[in-house]
Amino acid sequence: MPHVMSMRELLQSHKILLDTCFAMHPGFTRFTDAFSHVFQRNPILIPAVVLWELRYLSLNAQLNAAAVIAMRRIVQMYFEKRAEIRFEKCDDLPDLVILRVALQHQRRRNIAVLTNDRDLMLDLRQIWSTRSIRQRGTLEVLRINGFTNSVCLFSDRNAV
C-alpha cells in the first residue's frame, strides 16, 4: 500500500508558490495559521507580481476587502519570516511566473502551488507531463474548497 503524504509532510517537503486567487480566498488565513510552524521552516514563496495584482484588485469595490486582507496577511507572514517575496525583471503576470518557476525547477525540486485557478492547474499538469524532460521532483497543486474552506489537492475531478 503506497504511503499517503499528510498535508504537513507535503508542505515541509515542497517549495511552495502562492497564486493571487488562493491568497484572496477566505480560507487562506486559517490555512496559514494552521501550518504556521511549517512555514517558519519552509516559507511560502510569493511572486512580487501577486502583491502588485492584490494592490490593483484592492481598488475594485467588489474585491477590495478580500485583496486587502490577503495583502495584510502576506505582509505579516513576510515580517514573521513565514513568506519570502520573489522578484525577477521578467515577471509579468502571476500565472506566467508560476509556470516559469515550475518549468525551471521541475528537474530538481518538489513544488507545491497554492491556487484556485483551474486553468493554471491544468497548465501546470501539462508542463509537468512533458515527455522530453524527466522530472526528479514532484508537483502538487493545492486549492481551497469553496464549501469547507479547507485545503485539498487540486485535481481534474474537483476543479469546480
Side-chain angles (χ1 to χ4, degrees):
M1 181 173 188
H3 170 69
V4 177
M5 190 180 302
S6 72
M7 183 65 65
R8 193 185 75 197
E9 290 172 320
L10 188 151
L11 295 171
Q12 288 173 332
S13 63
H14 288 64
K15 289 291 184 188
I16 307 161
L17 297 170
L18 179 67
D19 189 21
T20 309
C21 57
F22 191 98
M24 288 181 63
H25 196 282
F28 178 62
T29 299
R30 189 173 81 184
F31 171 72
T32 56
D33 284 344
F35 295 101
S36 177
H37 60 286
V38 173
F39 302 136
Q40 201 68 44
R41 291 194 173 128
N42 186 25
I44 296 175
L45 305 177
I46 304 169
V49 293
V50 166
L51 288 173
W52 300 340
E53 188 171 52
L54 287 170
R55 173 70 177 118
Y56 174 77
L57 294 172
S58 73
L59 302 175
N60 179 313
Q62 293 177 323
L63 301 173
N64 175 277
V68 169
I69 290 168
M71 283 190 299
R72 286 182 181 154
R73 173 48 60 136
I74 289 169
V75 168
Q76 176 188 4
M77 291 179 67
Y78 174 78
F79 283 113
E80 295 170 350
K81 300 191 183 324
R82 294 186 295 137
E84 295 176 8
I85 311 295
R86 298 290 178 96
F87 172 75
E88 291 191 30
K89 286 183 182 181
C90 64
D91 291 354
D92 186 15
L93 297 169
D95 289 5
L96 288 174
V97 172
I98 290 168
L99 290 168
R100 177 182 49 85
V101 170
L103 182 61
Q104 181 179 354
H105 295 287
Q106 69 181 352
R107 294 228 345 110
R108 297 183 303 276
R109 301 244 189 260
N110 295 328
I111 297 175
V113 176
L114 307 175
T115 186
N116 272 34
D117 183 333
R118 180 182 187 278
D119 289 338
L120 178 58
M121 182 270 300
L122 293 171
D123 289 344
L124 285 162
R125 298 271 185 238
Q126 180 77 29
I127 283 176
W128 215 265
S129 65
T130 57
R131 296 173 193 228
S132 62
I133 301 171
R134 281 201 179 138
Q135 288 78 11
R136 290 189 185 163
T138 61
L139 170 72
E140 298 296 345
V141 184
L142 305 172
R143 72 178 188 94
I144 300 176
N145 182 300
F147 299 110
T148 65
N149 283 339
S150 62
V151 175
C152 59
L153 289 176
F154 205 156
S155 70
D156 294 345
R157 292 182 305 282
N158 68 6
V160 281

